[in-house]
Amino acid sequence: METGILSIVATPIGNLEDITFRAVRILSEAEYILCEDTRVTGKLLARYEIAAKLRRYDAHASAQTHESIIEDLLAGKKIALVSDAGTPGVSDPGVLLVQGARKAGARIEVVPGPSSVIAAVSLAGIAGNQFTFLGFVPLKKGRETFLKGLTEHVQPVVFLESTHRILKTLAQLAEHLPTATVYLARELTKLHEELLVGTASELLEQLEAQPVKQKGEFVVLVKVL
């Protein structure tokens, strides 16, 4: 018996028009869609009149949840996996499910699309074809080591930061890398999309003077040399 298929579907990072025809079709055909927040994904489905069922799946999904999903795949069901924004499994939930599905012999496909990291690198216009992506800055343990370690990279470094910690991160960058050029991408693909460029201390001063610029999830690019 042929297994079902797990479709890893990239979704818009801001502008709901940034979705492919294939992604809309795959989501429409799914038995159910695994998502981090049913309210967020529900807005996307409503926009494209997709009536598929939604099932909560996030980074805290239990072993029992994974077993249930894999059983459905082996029974022949089509299941789509999405995150709130961007591509599942890249600083988003999905890695454990993909590993489990592959081990069980289920079919897996990827439906590529938006990525905040690639969008920010493209917007920055940094010369060269290499960069290092480091995911999210650690919340507490390892945070200082993470930021100090940026000096070891020859190529530009890209990482993600939240609205609640961006000021702290810029302050620490100003301390450890005072002369580095920092590119701060925010509100990507949205109405107020912008890229701020300067030293960490310059950007910190700008965000403190204009609190509205502290909102949103940030993609941070650091060019040490």
Side-chain angles (χ1 to χ4, degrees), residues 108-131:
I108 305 171
E109 69 175 3
V110 64
V111 183
S115 163
S116 62
V117 174
I118 298 302
V121 171
S122 177
L123 188 62
I126 297 176
N129 59 3
Q130 294 182 330
F131 65 88

Side-chain angles (χ1 to χ4, degrees), residues 33-65:
I33 299 170
L34 300 169
C35 60
E36 292 181 85
D37 189 326
T38 57
R39 295 167 298 180
V40 173
T41 302
K43 292 179 181 178
L44 177 65
L45 300 194
R47 173 70 171 77
Y48 291 97
E49 300 181 346
I50 298 171
K53 298 177 183 177
L54 293 176
R55 181 169 168 180
R56 179 74 180 271
Y57 178 87
D58 58 23
H60 306 291
S62 66
Q64 184 177 0
T65 295

Side-chain angles (χ1 to χ4, degrees), residues 138-150:
L139 296 182
K140 294 181 180 179
K141 186 177 181 181
R143 184 181 182 86
E144 194 75 12
T145 301
F146 176 96
L147 293 170
K148 285 182 178 178
L150 298 182

